[in-house]
């Protein structure tokens, strides 16, 4: 076996064409042979400057032989070995889409250990201008800032793992500039629309209890569809969210863990909702609180719930909001009712109160402005007394 040379060890020589070349050891193969990084320059002085920079960059780094693999190969291995065992199928699908659509086409041929922050920054600039495959009526082919931030989150995780696997010295996604995060207005049902929706679901005995419970708890679609009677404490009027339903690739449903650790939670229901569920349990012949209307032994399909929502909204002449916007409607109404952020965070199953504030901060700011306006009116009325 070849004698193992320490990483950072290097040499300098002058080539026949007059340029100066240097190399340093940046890692080792399985048989002990050194892996080199080469730099060159017109003068010895310039070369030594570059060489010292490389020595600092690779200090305490010992790359493996796999560091020479193309970047296009690494994400697949990362997804299989690191991500697949720990995330939901839908999350894995989203990660893969970012990799296949944006990273591989533009940086897939680059060697893993040679991808730089400049390469990553150029990737983000390119997809920000021309990232969509089909033209959007308002944005054209530009990719939104939030989508780029999500892409960055996937890329950063993959390259963090690459550093741990000794494929690269540094994570090239560190320090890049990202588009500013823009707070998008959440679609909700306003008071008038909510009243119309409530009137509409009264006409639907099959789905009324489902949507009434959703509007008074703000549960995620997979969470409310995954509720079982064993989760409901009738005396206390509290359901406990213990699982969530997912659509399985190729069809069918599967149960899994809640989205976050805080997602596993007990919710105190409004008295009307608690009583509604007590009455519902009396006539139930299923283990599920909201079973499939045609096959009570199965739970309701989250996709079917979404389709029914669209039908009800259309019948009521309301905007075609997403199911998740019912969750936003609940949250905004809770804030307007005076509930504190910590309570709302717990009910929604958010990881932290800061995350809740980040999403619904615009509502609390509006409430602050209303408070200031009321205070001004009070002071003026006092002065006029």
């Amino acid at each position: 076996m070849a004698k193992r040379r320490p990483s950072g060890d290097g040499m300098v020589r002058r080539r026949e064409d007059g340029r100066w070349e240097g190399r340093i050891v940046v890692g080792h193969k399985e048989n002990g042979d050194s892996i080199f990084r080469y730099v060159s320059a017109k003068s010895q002085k310039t070369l030594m400057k570059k060489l010292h920079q490389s020595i600092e960059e690779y200090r305490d780094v010992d790359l493996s032989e796999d560091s020479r693999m193309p970047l296009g190969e690494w994400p697949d291995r990362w997804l299989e070995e690191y991500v697949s065992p720990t995330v939901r199928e839908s999350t894995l699908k989203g990660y893969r889409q970012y990799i296949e659509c944006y990273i591989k086409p533009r940086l897939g041929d680059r060697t893993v250990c040679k991808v730089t922050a400049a390469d990553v920054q150029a990737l983000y600039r390119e997809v920000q201008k021309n990232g969509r495959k089909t033209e959007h009526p308002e944005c054209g082919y530009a990719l939104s800032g939030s989508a780029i931030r999500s892409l960055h989150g996937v890329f950063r995780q993959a390259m963090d793992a690459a550093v741990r696997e000794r494929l690269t010295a540094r994570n090239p996604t560190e320090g890049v500039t990202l588009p500013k995060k823009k707070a998008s207005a959440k679609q909700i049902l306003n008071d008038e629309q909510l009243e119309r929706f409530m009137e509409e679901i009264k006409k639907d005995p099959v789905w009324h209890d489902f949507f009434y419970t959703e509007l008074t708890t703000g549960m995620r679609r997979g969470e409310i569809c995954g509720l079982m009677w064993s989760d409901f404490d009738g005396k206390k009027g509290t359901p406990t969210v213990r699982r969530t339903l997912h659509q399985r690739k190729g069809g069918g449903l599967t149960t899994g863990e809640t989205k976050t650790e805080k997602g596993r939670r007990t919710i105190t229901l409004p008295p009307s909702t608690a009583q509604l569920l007590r009455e519902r349990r009396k006539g139930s012949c299923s283990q599920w609180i909201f079973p499939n209307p045609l096959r009570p032994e199965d739970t309701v399909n989250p996709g079917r719930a979404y389709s029914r929502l669209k039908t009800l909204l259309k019948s009521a002449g309301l905007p075609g909001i997403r199911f998740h916007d019912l969750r936003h409607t609940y949250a905004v109404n809770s804030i307007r009712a005076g509930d504190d952020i910590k309570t709302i965070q717990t009910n929604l199953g958010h990881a932290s109160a800061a995350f809740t504030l980040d999403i619904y901060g615009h509502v609390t700011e509006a409430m602050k402005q209303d408070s200031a306006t009321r205070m001004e009116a009070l002071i003026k009325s006092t002065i006029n007394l």
Side-chain angles (χ1 to χ4, degrees):
M1 179 180 292
K3 184 178 179 181
R4 192 179 180 93
R5 297 177 61 182
S7 297
D9 184 30
M11 61 166 288
V12 174
R13 72 182 182 92
R14 189 172 187 177
R15 301 189 317 206
E16 292 183 0
D17 62 3
R19 290 180 63 85
W20 287 83
E21 182 181 76
R23 73 179 189 186
I24 62 169
V25 178
V26 296
H28 297 87
K29 302 177 183 179
E30 288 187 6
N31 64 5
D33 288 350
S34 298
I35 299 173
F36 297 103
R37 180 176 177 89
Y38 293 85
V39 292
S40 63
K42 291 183 178 180
S43 68
Q44 186 177 14
K45 182 179 179 180
T46 303
L47 173 69
M48 294 307 297
K49 184 178 179 180
K50 286 185 176 182
L51 203 59
H52 288 147
Q53 288 175 344
S54 293
I55 290 173
E56 286 301 313
E57 181 181 354
Y58 288 92
R59 187 179 298 280
D60 301 322
V61 173
D62 187 23
L63 298 184
S64 71
E65 194 167 359
D66 285 343
S67 63
R68 296 183 175 183
M69 76 165 66
L71 177 63
E73 293 182 16
W74 167 244
D76 292 334
R77 179 171 143 189
W78 170 68
L79 289 176
E80 181 66 27
E81 297 181 9
Y82 286 80
V83 181
S84 180
T86 61
V87 303
R88 294 179 297 181
E89 200 167 303
S90 58
T91 302
L92 183 65
K93 181 180 178 182
Y95 283 13
R96 195 178 301 281
Q97 185 172 359
Y98 280 117
I99 290 167
E100 295 294 336
C101 292
Y102 306 117
I103 298 175
K104 283 188 177 182
R106 294 167 175 84
L107 294 177
D109 293 336
R110 297 295 302 272
T111 304
V112 174
C113 67
K114 293 185 178 180
V115 177
T116 65
D119 294 329
V120 177
Q121 193 72 70
L123 164 67
Y124 295 166
R125 282 197 303 268
E126 165 62 19
V127 297
Q128 188 172 14
K129 293 179 181 178
N130 196 32
R132 294 180 185 270
K133 288 187 176 181
T134 57
E135 188 174 6
H136 188 276
E138 297 179 3
C139 306
Y141 292 97
L143 202 64
S144 69
S146 60
I148 293 172
R149 296 178 75 91
S150 296
L151 164 62
H152 173 73
V154 174
F155 203 178
R156 176 178 54 79
Q157 290 182 66
M159 297 311 292
D160 273 343
V163 173
R164 293 193 296 272
E165 288 291 322
R166 298 164 46 221
L167 304 184
T168 185
R170 301 288 182 269
N171 188 331
T173 68
E174 293 179 358
V176 299
T177 302
L178 298 173
K180 290 184 179 180
K181 190 174 182 180
K182 295 181 180 179
S184 57
K186 306 301 178 187
Q187 281 190 295
I188 66 167
L189 296 175
N190 60 33
D191 292 346
E192 179 185 347
Q193 292 170 335
L194 182 57
E195 184 177 352
R196 284 160 58 190
F197 185 72
M198 297 296 276
E199 289 296 324
E200 190 65 31
I201 65 175
K202 285 181 182 178
K203 305 173 188 177
D204 191 339
V206 175
W207 288 92
H208 171 269
D209 295 356
F210 179 89
F211 285 109
Y212 190 94
T213 303
E214 172 59 31
L215 286 167
T216 54
T217 62
M219 282 186 275
R220 298 176 178 92
R221 181 171 39 150
E223 293 173 345
I224 189 171
C225 291
L227 285 177
M228 305 176 77
W229 285 119
S230 57
D231 303 322
F232 179 60
D233 186 328
K235 291 183 179 180
K236 295 181 180 179
T238 56
T240 298
V241 178
R242 293 189 172 97
R243 71 194 66 78
T244 185
L245 285 180
H246 312 296
Q247 197 82 35
R248 185 186 292 119
K249 186 176 181 180
L253 299 173
T254 181
T255 58
E257 297 293 326
T258 53
K259 185 174 182 180
T260 65
E261 185 179 343
K262 293 290 181 69
R264 188 181 177 91
R265 64 201 185 277
T266 298
I267 301 172
T268 300
L269 298 174
S272 61
T273 310
Q275 185 58 30
L276 179 149
L277 292 184
R278 292 188 192 102
E279 293 297 324
R280 183 179 180 83
R281 180 157 62 178
K282 292 177 183 179
S284 177
C285 59
S286 174
Q287 65 176 331
W288 303 99
I289 294 181
F290 301 109
N292 184 314
L294 301 178
R295 295 189 302 276
E297 67 275 11
D298 297 332
T299 184
V300 63
N301 189 305
R304 181 74 183 92
Y306 178 77
S307 298
R308 191 58 191 166
L309 169 65
K310 291 296 186 180
T311 299
L312 290 167
L313 290 169
K314 186 176 181 179
S315 297
L318 296 171
I321 62 174
R322 306 168 304 162
F323 193 97
H324 203 76
D325 293 325
L326 298 181
R327 181 171 163 87
H328 292 319
T329 299
Y330 162 81
V332 169
N333 285 333
S334 293
I335 294 173
R336 291 174 58 196
D339 293 347
D340 64 274
I341 290 295
K342 187 63 180 177
T343 298
I344 297 170
Q345 173 233 325
T346 302
N347 286 341
L348 290 173
H350 283 162
S352 68
F355 181 79
T356 307
L357 272 173
D358 188 43
I359 297 177
Y360 301 108
H362 64 289
V363 181
T364 55
E365 287 301 322
M367 292 173 67
K368 288 178 184 178
Q369 185 60 50
D370 290 343
S371 175
T373 302
R374 290 194 299 271
M375 178 58 69
E376 183 180 26
L378 175 64
I379 292 174
K380 286 182 178 179
S381 64
T382 303
I383 293 174
N384 293 332
L385 290 177

